[in-house]
Protein backbone atom coordinates (compact mmCIF):
# COMPACT_ATOMS: atom_id res chain seq x y z
CA UNK A 1 0.00 0.00 0.00
CA UNK A 2 2.83 2.40 0.85
CA UNK A 3 4.51 1.70 -2.50
CA UNK A 4 1.23 2.38 -4.28
CA UNK A 5 0.82 5.73 -2.54
CA UNK A 6 4.44 6.62 -3.22
CA UNK A 7 4.05 5.88 -6.92
CA UNK A 8 0.96 8.07 -7.06
CA UNK A 9 2.78 10.98 -5.43
CA UNK A 10 5.73 10.55 -7.79
CA UNK A 11 3.28 10.81 -10.70
CA UNK A 12 1.89 14.02 -9.22
CA UNK A 13 5.40 15.39 -8.73
CA UNK A 14 6.18 14.70 -12.37
CA UNK A 15 3.14 16.70 -13.47
CA UNK A 16 4.39 19.65 -11.42
CA UNK A 17 7.92 19.32 -12.81
CA UNK A 18 6.74 19.30 -16.43
CA UNK A 19 4.06 21.99 -16.24
CA UNK A 20 5.50 24.39 -13.66
CA UNK A 21 9.18 23.78 -14.46
CA UNK A 22 10.77 24.66 -11.10
CA UNK A 23 14.15 23.95 -12.72
CA UNK A 24 13.56 27.02 -14.89
CA UNK A 25 12.50 29.17 -11.95
CA UNK A 26 15.28 28.39 -9.50
CA UNK A 27 18.95 28.62 -10.43
CA UNK A 28 19.88 25.99 -7.84
CA UNK A 29 17.80 23.38 -9.72
CA UNK A 30 18.77 24.37 -13.26
CA UNK A 31 21.79 22.04 -13.36
CA UNK A 32 19.87 18.95 -12.28
CA UNK A 33 17.85 16.81 -14.75
CA UNK A 34 15.02 16.51 -12.22
CA UNK A 35 12.46 15.47 -14.85
CA UNK A 36 14.61 12.52 -15.96
CA UNK A 37 15.39 11.61 -12.36
CA UNK A 38 11.66 11.64 -11.56
CA UNK A 39 10.92 9.35 -14.51
CA UNK A 40 13.60 6.90 -13.38
CA UNK A 41 12.30 6.87 -9.80
CA UNK A 42 8.73 6.55 -11.08
CA UNK A 43 9.71 3.60 -13.28
CA UNK A 44 11.59 1.87 -10.45
CA UNK A 45 8.73 1.96 -7.96
CA UNK A 46 6.22 1.12 -10.69
CA UNK A 47 8.13 -2.08 -11.44
CA UNK A 48 8.47 -3.25 -7.84
CA UNK A 49 4.94 -2.52 -6.69
CA UNK A 50 2.31 -5.22 -6.90
CA UNK A 51 -0.74 -4.61 -9.08
CA UNK A 52 -3.76 -6.75 -9.83
CA UNK A 53 -4.18 -5.75 -13.45
CA UNK A 54 -3.14 -3.28 -16.15
CA UNK A 55 -5.60 -0.75 -17.55
CA UNK A 56 -6.96 -1.86 -20.91
CA UNK A 57 -8.43 0.60 -23.38
CA UNK A 58 -8.72 0.96 -27.15
CA UNK A 59 -6.82 4.25 -26.88
CA UNK A 60 -3.79 2.28 -25.70
CA UNK A 61 -3.66 0.37 -28.99
CA UNK A 62 -4.24 3.53 -31.01
CA UNK A 63 -1.39 5.29 -29.21
CA UNK A 64 0.93 2.35 -29.80
CA UNK A 65 -0.02 2.42 -33.49
CA UNK A 66 0.63 6.17 -33.63
CA UNK A 67 3.99 5.81 -31.84
CA UNK A 68 4.97 2.99 -34.18
CA UNK A 69 4.14 5.12 -37.20
CA UNK A 70 6.13 8.05 -35.81
CA UNK A 71 9.12 5.68 -35.57
CA UNK A 72 8.57 4.32 -39.08
CA UNK A 73 8.29 7.85 -40.42
CA UNK A 74 11.53 8.80 -38.63
CA UNK A 75 13.27 5.90 -40.33
CA UNK A 76 12.43 7.33 -43.77
CA UNK A 77 12.75 11.01 -42.83
CA UNK A 78 14.70 13.62 -44.78
CA UNK A 79 17.10 13.85 -41.84
CA UNK A 80 16.84 10.70 -39.75
CA UNK A 81 18.99 12.09 -36.93
CA UNK A 82 16.66 15.04 -36.36
CA UNK A 83 13.63 12.78 -36.70
CA UNK A 84 14.85 10.16 -34.25
CA UNK A 85 15.76 12.77 -31.65
CA UNK A 86 12.23 14.18 -31.89
CA UNK A 87 10.78 10.67 -31.97
CA UNK A 88 12.55 9.69 -28.74
CA UNK A 89 11.26 12.85 -27.04
CA UNK A 90 7.73 11.92 -28.08
CA UNK A 91 8.07 8.25 -27.09
CA UNK A 92 8.90 9.49 -23.59
CA UNK A 93 5.32 10.72 -23.32
CA UNK A 94 3.93 7.38 -24.50
CA UNK A 95 6.02 5.66 -21.83
CA UNK A 96 4.79 8.10 -19.18
CA UNK A 97 1.22 7.63 -20.42
CA UNK A 98 1.31 3.91 -19.60
CA UNK A 99 2.97 4.54 -16.23
CA UNK A 100 0.35 7.12 -15.26
CA UNK A 101 -2.82 5.30 -16.33
CA UNK A 102 -1.73 2.27 -14.31
CA UNK A 103 -0.87 4.41 -11.27
CA UNK A 104 -3.77 6.84 -10.86
CA UNK A 105 -6.44 4.23 -11.64
CA UNK A 106 -8.53 4.79 -8.51
CA UNK A 107 -11.07 7.52 -7.78
CA UNK A 108 -8.70 9.13 -5.30
CA UNK A 109 -5.74 8.87 -7.66
CA UNK A 110 -7.70 10.35 -10.55
CA UNK A 111 -9.02 13.19 -8.39
CA UNK A 112 -5.57 14.07 -7.06
CA UNK A 113 -4.12 13.99 -10.58
CA UNK A 114 -6.80 16.34 -11.91
CA UNK A 115 -6.45 18.73 -8.96
CA UNK A 116 -2.66 18.75 -9.30
CA UNK A 117 -2.93 19.60 -12.99
CA UNK A 118 -5.41 22.39 -12.23
CA UNK A 119 -3.16 23.74 -9.49
CA UNK A 120 -0.28 23.92 -11.98
CA UNK A 121 -2.42 25.99 -14.33
CA UNK A 122 -3.70 28.09 -11.44
CA UNK A 123 -0.12 28.90 -10.51
CA UNK A 124 0.38 30.34 -14.01
CA UNK A 125 -3.13 31.76 -14.24
CA UNK A 126 -2.83 33.84 -11.09
CA UNK A 127 0.54 35.11 -12.33
CA UNK A 128 -1.16 36.12 -15.59
CA UNK A 129 -3.82 38.00 -13.62
CA UNK A 130 -1.17 39.84 -11.59
CA UNK A 131 0.77 40.73 -14.75
CA UNK A 132 -2.44 41.96 -16.39
CA UNK A 133 -3.27 44.16 -13.41
CA UNK A 134 0.32 45.45 -13.17
CA UNK A 135 0.14 46.41 -16.86
CA UNK A 136 -2.93 48.51 -16.18
CA UNK A 137 -5.42 45.85 -17.31
CA UNK A 138 -3.67 45.85 -20.68
CA UNK A 139 -2.66 42.87 -22.82
CA UNK A 140 0.22 43.45 -25.22
CA UNK A 141 -0.67 42.62 -28.86
CA UNK A 142 2.50 40.52 -29.00
CA UNK A 143 1.35 38.48 -26.03
CA UNK A 144 2.68 38.20 -22.49
CA UNK A 145 5.00 35.41 -21.45
CA UNK A 146 3.55 33.62 -18.42
CA UNK A 147 4.62 29.99 -18.11
CA UNK A 148 7.82 28.01 -18.60
CA UNK A 149 8.91 25.12 -20.80
CA UNK A 150 6.01 23.96 -22.97
CA UNK A 151 3.94 26.88 -21.70
CA UNK A 152 6.48 29.68 -22.14
CA UNK A 153 5.32 30.95 -25.51
CA UNK A 154 2.00 32.90 -25.23
CA UNK A 155 0.41 30.89 -28.07
CA UNK A 156 1.47 27.60 -26.48
CA UNK A 157 0.15 28.76 -23.12
CA UNK A 158 -3.17 29.58 -24.78
CA UNK A 159 -3.27 26.07 -26.23
CA UNK A 160 -2.63 24.46 -22.86
CA UNK A 161 -5.24 26.60 -21.11
CA UNK A 162 -7.90 25.78 -23.70
CA UNK A 163 -7.21 22.07 -23.26
CA UNK A 164 -7.78 22.23 -19.51
CA UNK A 165 -10.45 24.97 -19.42
CA UNK A 166 -13.37 22.53 -19.73
CA UNK A 167 -12.08 20.49 -16.81
CA UNK A 168 -11.72 23.61 -14.66
CA UNK A 169 -15.27 24.72 -15.55
CA UNK A 170 -16.97 21.41 -14.86
CA UNK A 171 -15.03 20.82 -11.65
CA UNK A 172 -17.06 23.73 -10.24
CA UNK A 173 -20.05 21.39 -10.45
CA UNK A 174 -18.13 18.19 -9.68
CA UNK A 175 -16.70 19.62 -6.46
CA UNK A 176 -19.72 21.63 -5.36
CA UNK A 177 -20.12 19.64 -2.14
CA UNK A 178 -16.41 19.08 -1.44
CA UNK A 179 -14.58 20.83 1.37
CA UNK A 180 -10.80 20.75 1.58
CA UNK A 181 -9.38 20.49 5.10
CA UNK A 182 -12.98 20.40 6.31
CA UNK A 183 -13.69 24.10 5.76
CA UNK A 184 -12.58 25.42 2.35
CA UNK A 185 -15.19 24.89 -0.37
CA UNK A 186 -13.40 23.41 -3.37
CA UNK A 187 -15.82 25.01 -5.82
CA UNK A 188 -14.46 28.46 -4.91
CA UNK A 189 -11.00 27.40 -6.00
CA UNK A 190 -12.43 26.16 -9.29
CA UNK A 191 -14.36 29.40 -9.85
CA UNK A 192 -11.27 31.50 -9.21
CA UNK A 193 -9.15 29.19 -11.35
CA UNK A 194 -11.62 29.34 -14.26
CA UNK A 195 -11.63 33.15 -14.17
CA UNK A 196 -7.82 33.26 -14.06
CA UNK A 197 -7.63 30.92 -17.06
CA UNK A 198 -9.92 33.21 -19.07
CA UNK A 199 -7.70 36.17 -18.22
CA UNK A 200 -4.69 34.01 -19.08
CA UNK A 201 -6.13 33.52 -22.58
CA UNK A 202 -6.81 37.25 -22.81
CA UNK A 203 -3.23 38.16 -21.91
CA UNK A 204 -1.78 35.82 -24.57
CA UNK A 205 -3.34 38.07 -27.26
CA UNK A 206 -3.71 34.91 -29.34
CA UNK A 207 -6.62 34.96 -31.76
CA UNK A 208 -6.53 31.19 -32.05
CA UNK A 209 -6.75 30.82 -28.28
CA UNK A 210 -9.65 33.30 -28.18
CA UNK A 211 -11.51 31.37 -30.89
CA UNK A 212 -10.89 28.12 -29.03
CA UNK A 213 -12.28 29.69 -25.85
CA UNK A 214 -15.38 30.62 -27.83
CA UNK A 215 -15.68 27.01 -29.02
CA UNK A 216 -15.30 25.83 -25.41
CA UNK A 217 -18.10 28.11 -24.24
CA UNK A 218 -20.39 26.96 -27.08
CA UNK A 219 -19.73 23.34 -26.14
CA UNK A 220 -20.54 24.13 -22.51
CA UNK A 221 -23.78 25.78 -23.61
CA UNK A 222 -24.69 22.74 -25.74
CA UNK A 223 -24.12 20.39 -22.79
CA UNK A 224 -26.21 22.49 -20.41
CA UNK A 225 -29.67 21.34 -19.40
CA UNK A 226 -30.61 24.97 -18.77
CA UNK A 227 -30.00 26.36 -22.21
CA UNK A 228 -31.30 29.89 -21.58
CA UNK A 229 -29.33 30.45 -18.37
CA UNK A 230 -26.23 28.95 -19.96
CA UNK A 231 -26.65 31.13 -23.04
CA UNK A 232 -26.84 34.26 -20.89
CA UNK A 233 -23.65 33.28 -19.02
CA UNK A 234 -21.78 32.43 -22.24
CA UNK A 235 -22.83 35.65 -23.98
CA UNK A 236 -21.97 37.69 -20.88
CA UNK A 237 -18.51 36.12 -20.61
CA UNK A 238 -17.87 36.61 -24.32
CA UNK A 239 -18.98 40.25 -24.12
CA UNK A 240 -16.78 40.99 -21.09
CA UNK A 241 -13.86 39.25 -22.79
CA UNK A 242 -14.35 41.41 -25.89
CA UNK A 243 -14.52 44.60 -23.82
CA UNK A 244 -11.21 43.74 -22.15
CA UNK A 245 -9.37 43.28 -25.46
CA UNK A 246 -7.28 46.39 -26.31
CA UNK A 247 -8.15 48.23 -29.52
CA UNK A 248 -4.88 47.18 -31.15
CA UNK A 249 -5.84 43.53 -30.64
CA UNK A 250 -9.41 44.10 -31.82
CA UNK A 251 -8.00 45.50 -35.06
CA UNK A 252 -6.31 42.13 -35.62
CA UNK A 253 -9.70 40.41 -35.27
CA UNK A 254 -11.36 42.84 -37.68
CA UNK A 255 -8.89 42.08 -40.47
CA UNK A 256 -8.86 38.33 -39.80
CA UNK A 257 -8.91 36.39 -43.06
CA UNK A 258 -8.33 39.44 -45.26
CA UNK A 259 -5.24 40.15 -47.36
CA UNK A 260 -4.21 42.70 -44.73
CA UNK A 261 -3.90 39.86 -42.22
CA UNK A 262 -0.23 39.03 -42.77
CA UNK A 263 -0.26 36.33 -40.10
CA UNK A 264 -3.10 34.47 -41.81
CA UNK A 265 -1.48 34.88 -45.23
CA UNK A 266 1.76 33.44 -43.87
CA UNK A 267 -0.11 30.46 -42.43
CA UNK A 268 -1.84 29.81 -45.75
CA UNK A 269 1.56 29.81 -47.43
CA UNK A 270 2.93 27.40 -44.84
CA UNK A 271 -0.05 25.06 -45.21
CA UNK A 272 0.37 25.12 -48.98
CA UNK A 273 4.03 24.19 -48.55
CA UNK A 274 3.13 21.39 -46.13
CA UNK A 275 0.65 19.96 -48.63
CA UNK A 276 3.37 20.09 -51.27
CA UNK A 277 5.59 18.06 -48.96
CA UNK A 278 2.95 15.42 -48.30
CA UNK A 279 2.17 15.10 -52.00
CA UNK A 280 5.80 14.06 -52.46
CA UNK A 281 5.79 11.85 -49.31
CA UNK A 282 2.19 10.64 -48.88
CA UNK A 283 2.91 7.50 -46.84
CA UNK A 284 5.56 8.34 -44.25
CA UNK A 285 5.73 12.13 -44.63
CA UNK A 286 8.92 14.13 -44.23
CA UNK A 287 9.58 12.84 -40.70
CA UNK A 288 8.87 14.27 -37.26
CA UNK A 289 10.76 17.50 -36.60
CA UNK A 290 11.87 17.83 -40.23
CA UNK A 291 9.61 20.69 -41.32
CA UNK A 292 12.22 23.50 -41.08
CA UNK A 293 14.66 21.42 -43.15
CA UNK A 294 11.94 20.45 -45.63
CA UNK A 295 11.10 24.12 -46.17
CA UNK A 296 14.57 24.56 -47.61
CA UNK A 297 14.32 21.41 -49.70
CA UNK A 298 10.94 22.39 -51.17
CA UNK A 299 11.86 26.08 -51.53
CA UNK A 300 9.29 27.32 -49.01
CA UNK A 301 9.61 30.19 -46.52
CA UNK A 302 12.09 29.04 -43.84
CA UNK A 303 10.06 28.72 -40.64
CA UNK A 304 10.01 26.40 -37.65
CA UNK A 305 6.46 25.06 -37.72
CA UNK A 306 3.28 24.45 -39.73
CA UNK A 307 0.98 26.24 -37.26
CA UNK A 308 -1.63 23.49 -37.48
CA UNK A 309 -1.52 20.15 -35.65
CA UNK A 310 -3.45 18.29 -38.34
CA UNK A 311 -1.26 19.59 -41.15
CA UNK A 312 1.71 18.89 -38.91
CA UNK A 313 0.66 15.24 -38.62
CA UNK A 314 -0.08 15.06 -42.33
CA UNK A 315 3.20 16.58 -43.51
CA UNK A 316 5.47 14.87 -40.99
CA UNK A 317 3.75 11.47 -40.74
CA UNK A 318 1.84 11.17 -44.02
CA UNK A 319 -1.80 10.23 -44.48
CA UNK A 320 -1.59 7.18 -42.14
CA UNK A 321 -0.31 9.38 -39.30
CA UNK A 322 -3.16 11.86 -39.72
CA UNK A 323 -5.68 9.01 -39.92
CA UNK A 324 -4.46 7.46 -36.65
CA UNK A 325 -4.54 10.87 -34.96
CA UNK A 326 -8.17 11.38 -35.97
CA UNK A 327 -8.97 7.89 -34.67
CA UNK A 328 -7.42 8.81 -31.31
CA UNK A 329 -9.62 11.91 -31.11
CA UNK A 330 -12.69 9.81 -31.92
CA UNK A 331 -11.78 7.20 -29.29
CA UNK A 332 -11.31 9.90 -26.64
CA UNK A 333 -14.80 11.27 -27.30
CA UNK A 334 -16.14 7.70 -27.33
CA UNK A 335 -14.51 6.97 -23.96
CA UNK A 336 -16.17 9.98 -22.38
CA UNK A 337 -19.52 9.01 -23.93
CA UNK A 338 -19.19 5.49 -22.51
CA UNK A 339 -18.54 6.94 -19.04
CA UNK A 340 -21.83 8.85 -19.14
CA UNK A 341 -23.65 5.82 -20.57
CA UNK A 342 -22.35 3.61 -17.76
CA UNK A 343 -23.47 6.12 -15.14
CA UNK A 344 -26.94 6.35 -16.71
CA UNK A 345 -27.27 2.57 -16.81
CA UNK A 346 -26.23 2.38 -13.16
CA UNK A 347 -28.91 5.00 -12.42
CA UNK A 348 -26.49 6.99 -10.33
CA UNK A 349 -25.59 10.65 -10.12
CA UNK A 350 -21.83 10.75 -9.71
CA UNK A 351 -20.98 14.44 -9.96
CA UNK A 352 -17.22 13.95 -10.22
CA UNK A 353 -17.12 11.27 -12.90
CA UNK A 354 -19.97 12.70 -14.97
CA UNK A 355 -18.79 16.29 -14.97
CA UNK A 356 -15.19 15.30 -15.60
CA UNK A 357 -16.29 13.45 -18.73
CA UNK A 358 -18.00 16.62 -19.99
CA UNK A 359 -14.94 18.70 -19.16
CA UNK A 360 -12.72 16.31 -21.09
CA UNK A 361 -14.99 16.59 -24.15
CA UNK A 362 -14.80 20.39 -24.01
CA UNK A 363 -11.02 20.18 -23.65
CA UNK A 364 -10.74 18.01 -26.76
CA UNK A 365 -12.77 20.58 -28.71
CA UNK A 366 -10.63 23.43 -27.39
CA UNK A 367 -7.41 21.62 -28.29
CA UNK A 368 -8.66 20.78 -31.78
CA UNK A 369 -9.71 24.38 -32.48
CA UNK A 370 -6.57 26.04 -31.13
CA UNK A 371 -4.55 23.33 -32.84
CA UNK A 372 -5.70 24.66 -36.20
CA UNK A 373 -3.48 27.70 -35.61
CA UNK A 374 -0.48 26.39 -33.70
CA UNK A 375 1.94 23.46 -33.71
CA UNK A 376 1.56 21.68 -30.36
CA UNK A 377 0.80 18.10 -31.39
CA UNK A 378 3.82 16.62 -29.65
CA UNK A 379 3.50 18.83 -26.56
CA UNK A 380 2.11 17.11 -23.43
CA UNK A 381 -1.33 18.82 -23.47
CA UNK A 382 -3.12 16.21 -25.58
CA UNK A 383 -1.34 13.17 -24.18
CA UNK A 384 -1.98 14.14 -20.55
CA UNK A 385 -5.61 14.72 -21.52
CA UNK A 386 -5.75 11.14 -22.82
CA UNK A 387 -4.32 9.85 -19.54
CA UNK A 388 -7.29 11.36 -17.73
CA UNK A 389 -9.78 10.07 -20.35
CA UNK A 390 -8.57 6.49 -20.06
CA UNK A 391 -8.34 6.54 -16.26
CA UNK A 392 -11.84 8.03 -15.98
CA UNK A 393 -13.29 5.21 -18.07
CA UNK A 394 -11.42 2.60 -16.04
CA UNK A 395 -12.53 4.02 -12.67
CA UNK A 396 -16.15 4.29 -13.85
CA UNK A 397 -16.21 0.72 -15.15
CA UNK A 398 -14.76 -0.64 -11.91
CA UNK A 399 -17.12 1.25 -9.64
CA UNK A 400 -20.39 0.82 -11.51
CA UNK A 401 -20.38 -1.77 -14.28
CA UNK A 402 -18.54 -4.44 -12.33
CA UNK A 403 -20.50 -3.77 -9.13
CA UNK A 404 -23.70 -4.17 -11.12
CA UNK A 405 -22.60 -7.63 -12.21
Amino acid sequence: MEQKRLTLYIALCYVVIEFVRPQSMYESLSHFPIAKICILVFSFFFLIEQRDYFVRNSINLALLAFATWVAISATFAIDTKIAWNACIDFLKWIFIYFLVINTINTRRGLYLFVITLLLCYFKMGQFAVRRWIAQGFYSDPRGTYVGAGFLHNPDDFGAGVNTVFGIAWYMIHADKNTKWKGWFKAKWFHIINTISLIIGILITSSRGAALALGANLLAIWKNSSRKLAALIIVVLLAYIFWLLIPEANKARFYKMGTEADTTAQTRLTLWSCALKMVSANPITGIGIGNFPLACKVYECPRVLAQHNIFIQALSELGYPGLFILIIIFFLAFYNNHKVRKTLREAETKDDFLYNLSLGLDVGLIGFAVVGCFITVLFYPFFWVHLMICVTLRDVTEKEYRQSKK
Side-chain angles (χ1 to χ4, degrees):
M1 182 64 69
E2 289 298 321
Q3 289 177 352
K4 185 70 173 179
R5 285 201 295 268
L6 180 60
T7 309
L8 171 60
Y9 291 133
I10 294 172
L12 302 182
C13 285
Y14 185 73
V15 171
V16 174
I17 290 170
E18 282 292 3
F19 282 84
V20 178
R21 291 295 177 101
Q23 62 271 39
S24 300
M25 299 166 54
Y26 303 103
E27 181 65 26
S28 58
L29 297 176
S30 62
H31 303 294
F32 296 96
I34 57 176
K36 293 180 180 178
I37 293 172
C38 190
I39 294 174
L40 289 175
V41 174
F42 192 0
S43 303
F44 173 76
F45 283 100
F46 182 87
L47 290 173
I48 66 174
E49 75 178 13
Q50 295 181 349
R51 54 188 71 251
D52 299 327
Y53 74 104
F54 289 93
V55 174
R56 301 172 64 181
N57 194 289
S58 54
I59 290 180
N60 297 354
L61 296 177
L63 279 184
L64 288 175
F66 188 75
T68 301
W69 197 257
V70 170
I72 292 172
S73 173
T75 304
F76 296 96
I78 296 175
D79 188 317
T80 54
K81 183 178 180 180
I82 293 175
W84 272 106
N85 285 337
C87 179
I88 291 171
D89 284 341
F90 168 66
L91 292 179
K92 176 194 73 173
W93 281 108
I94 300 301
F95 177 68
I96 293 168
Y97 165 87
F98 282 102
L99 289 180
V100 169
I101 65 171
N102 288 289
T103 298
I104 65 170
N105 56 336
T106 63
R107 175 184 286 266
R108 178 174 176 271
L110 176 61
Y111 181 80
L112 289 176
F113 190 84
V114 169
I115 294 299
T116 301
L117 182 64
L118 292 177
L119 283 170
C120 290
Y121 275 96
F122 176 69
K123 190 268 178 192
M124 293 172 283
Q126 59 83 27
F127 179 71
V129 172
R130 289 191 289 117
R131 286 286 298 273
W132 180 60
I133 294 173
Q135 293 171 179
F137 302 98
Y138 174 77
S139 54
D140 192 303
R142 294 168 297 181
T144 302
Y145 290 79
V146 175
F150 294 109
L151 296 161
H152 179 61
N153 182 282
D155 291 328
D156 298 343
F157 179 71
V161 169
N162 272 293
T163 308
V164 80
F165 178 79
I167 298 176
W169 178 284
Y170 279 102
M171 283 300 291
I172 297 173
H173 308 282
D175 256 352
K176 62 185 178 182
N177 296 319
T178 304
K179 289 185 178 181
W180 294 339
K181 296 295 183 180
W183 63 273
F184 183 78
K185 292 185 177 180
K187 72 175 182 180
W188 289 114
F189 161 74
H190 298 302
I191 291 172
I192 296 170
N193 189 29
T194 301
I195 294 172
S196 71
L197 293 179
I198 293 175
I199 296 175
I201 292 173
L202 173 70
I203 204 172
T204 65
S205 297
S206 169
R207 291 179 296 179
L211 290 174
L213 176 62
N216 281 336
L217 292 175
L218 286 175
I220 289 170
W221 170 77
K222 182 180 180 300
N223 291 335
S224 176
S225 58
R226 300 176 179 177
K227 289 289 192 293
L228 181 58
L231 180 61
I232 293 173
I233 293 173
V234 167
V235 171
L236 183 62
L237 286 174
Y239 180 67
I240 294 173
F241 187 88
W242 180 254
L243 288 178
L244 294 174
I245 298 176
E247 290 302 320
N249 284 355
K250 287 180 180 177
R252 297 174 63 227
F253 279 93
Y254 291 139
K255 64 181 181 181
M256 184 183 292
T258 67
E259 292 185 0
D261 188 354
T262 56
T263 302
Q265 295 303 317
T266 300
R267 278 181 167 81
L268 291 174
T269 301
L270 292 176
W271 297 345
S272 176
C273 289
L275 293 177
K276 185 190 300 183
M277 295 171 193
V278 78
S279 66
N281 306 274
I283 306 301
T284 58
I286 58 175
I288 181 175
N290 270 242
F291 186 74
L293 178 62
C295 284
K296 184 177 181 180
V297 174
Y298 290 92
E299 300 179 348
C300 297
R302 191 77 182 274
V303 293
L304 296 177
Q306 302 91 328
H307 290 282
N308 186 302
I309 60 171
F310 301 105
I311 292 180
Q312 178 186 12
L314 180 61
S315 61
E316 295 186 1
L317 307 176
Y319 286 100
L322 176 62
F323 176 75
I324 298 172
L325 177 64
I326 293 173
I327 290 296
I328 293 173
F329 265 96
F330 170 79
L331 290 175
F333 280 114
Y334 179 74
N335 262 258
N336 300 331
H337 166 75
K338 290 292 288 183
V339 166
R340 294 188 290 273
K341 182 179 180 182
T342 299
L343 293 175
R344 285 194 298 268
E345 290 176 348
E347 298 180 348
T348 183
K349 186 179 181 182
D350 193 309
D351 287 332
F352 173 57
L353 300 181
Y354 185 83
N355 282 288
L356 182 57
S357 74
L358 292 175
L360 289 168
D361 273 355
V362 172
L364 288 169
I365 294 170
F367 180 74
V369 173
V370 77
C372 291
F373 307 98
I374 192 171
T375 315
V376 290
L377 177 58
F378 297 107
Y379 283 27
F381 314 138
F382 183 51
W383 315 109
V384 171
H385 207 75
L386 293 178
M387 296 175 197
I388 301 174
C389 283
V390 170
T391 306
L392 174 63
R393 172 96 181 267
D394 181 67
V395 170
T396 304
E397 294 285 335
K398 284 189 299 186
E399 289 198 13
Y400 292 103
R401 190 173 295 280
Q402 292 180 10
S403 62
K404 189 176 180 179
K405 292 180 180 180

